[in-house]
Amino acid sequence: MANYTFYVTVSGGKFVIDGVSQQTVDLGHNLTYRFDQSDSSNGTHPLRFSITSDGPHGGGSALGSGDGVTTNGTPGQSGAYTEIAVT
């Protein structure tokens, strides 16, 4: 169960989190955050987390299940989300 849920859409190729384009989200320790990606605009924009700037686009790699990241469903479809547990 997530402590916080953010609603994600995509506009102009940029993530819009809770209605704010390119929103900065501060994540606190020992909390779980769910990014709801069920809006159809997410269809070709899966949300990923990385510890490197610009993630895989910048030469880094995406965090996975061993890093506390869970994905569910297909972005753009009902019930889709990406969740991260920050430890």
Side-chain angles (χ1 to χ4, degrees):
M1 170 76 71
N3 296 102
Y4 298 96
T5 299
F6 298 101
Y7 296 94
V8 181
T9 58
V10 177
S11 179
K14 300 182 187 309
F15 287 109
V16 179
I17 299 174
D18 287 345
V20 179
S21 182
Q22 296 182 287
Q23 171 79 308
T24 298
V25 178
D26 294 319
L27 305 179
H29 289 283
N30 300 315
L31 297 170
T32 301
Y33 300 87
R34 180 174 289 187
F35 293 81
D36 181 319
Q37 292 186 270
S38 59
D39 186 84
S40 63
S41 64
N42 287 279
T44 58
H45 300 280
L47 178 68
R48 300 291 180 256
F49 294 97
S50 178
I51 58 172
T52 56
S53 180
D54 206 21
H57 300 290
S61 58
L63 298 176
S65 60
D67 303 305
V69 177
T70 302
T71 57
N72 182 69
T74 301
Q77 296 182 4
S78 180
Y81 65 82
T82 299
E83 194 169 85
I84 185 167
V86 181
T87 57

